[in-house]
Amino acid sequence: MSLNNISSNKIFGGWNKQYTHTSTSLNCEMRFAIYLPPQIAQGKKVPVLYWLSGLTCTDENFMHKAGAQRIAAELGMAIVAPDTSPRGEGIADDEGYDFGQGAGFYVNATQAPWNRHYHMYDYVVNELPELIETHFPVTQQRAISGHSMGGHGALTIALKNSKNFSSVSAFSPIVNPINCPWGQKAFTGYLGKDKETWQEYDATVLMQKSGAKLPMLVDQGSEDNFLVEQLKPEALVEAAKTVNYPLEIRMQPGFDHSYFFIASFIEDHLRFHAKYFI
């Protein structure tokens, strides 16, 4: 599978690059960003943190706003940020910001017309890591993190694929999508009206089914506008209690849902993941 490099910027001794490629999972051209730390210039292979962004975001939001590259360079960690959905002419879309292009929800859609392109779960779990490990000097050590819709994606993907990741973290994740408006809209459209199928993409349900217990860190801002209606972190806390899951969840006073919040605590998250890389 060929890659097309469309941008390259040196930062903290490493390189922030963007690539496009033809995705077999999504049946369209996709774009992702990757930060390659300075250690690769010394001939070293490095572990990878996969970052999943939230509603309306692209691969650029995290790389431009989070300020993660400085710490990734110190720790010797690559960061990969895919786009949040398939995009382009001929790909199904919706007028709302919370469904369709920019809002793939990291599921495999089963309902037409979405099932032609919207297989973000397969893309993140299988295709993208294979692509990264084939084309870049990285190890097979992986961690995963994300924000909001991407936090939902990170938690559910890690819980369903615990052998693929050494740790998982999230900022302001949608932890119980089957019981919030964002999730109900997306799941009805992508997965249909059978709510039993929705449970395969709900972190609170998956946590109670998961035998493995990956290290998990969640940060949530106390002044997040979406806290009560959409995010419901208390549901994840209750799920963790029922199975004694090693969840570390921190309510951060005064912080909202923005990238100012992410930038304030991203160093904690990168150091958290670095502890579990061999």
Side-chain angles (χ1 to χ4, degrees), residues 210-240:
S210 177
K213 291 179 168 61
L214 288 180
M216 180 182 292
L217 171 64
V218 173
D219 271 322
Q220 173 64 60
S222 68
E223 302 306 308
D224 192 316
N225 290 338
F226 305 111
L227 179 61
V228 175
E229 183 180 28
Q230 304 283 12
L231 305 180
K232 303 180 184 294
E234 67 279 359
L236 191 67
V237 172
E238 288 303 311

Side-chain angles (χ1 to χ4, degrees), residues 172-187:
S172 315
I174 306 169
V175 302
N176 190 204
I178 64 177
N179 287 316
C180 79
W182 277 340
Q184 290 166 348
K185 178 179 179 178
F187 287 5

Side-chain angles (χ1 to χ4, degrees), residues 56-118:
T56 75
C57 291
T58 70
D59 61 293
E60 294 184 334
N61 294 73
F62 179 79
M63 293 302 200
H64 288 190
K65 296 180 179 180
Q69 292 93 338
R70 178 178 63 84
I71 302 302
E74 175 193 329
L75 298 173
M77 178 189 302
I79 301 175
V80 173
D83 201 348
T84 53
S85 78
R87 297 179 193 264
E89 188 175 347
I91 294 174
D93 199 6
D94 183 81
E95 292 181 356
Y97 75 95
D98 53 356
F99 188 62
Q101 293 189 33
F105 265 84
Y106 306 100
V107 304
N108 285 339
T110 59
Q111 306 300 300
W114 313 100
N115 57 353
R116 183 180 177 190
H117 296 287
Y118 284 74

Side-chain angles (χ1 to χ4, degrees), residues 124 159 194 202 250:
V124 173
L159 287 166
D194 181 2
D202 188 295
R250 310 187 302 187

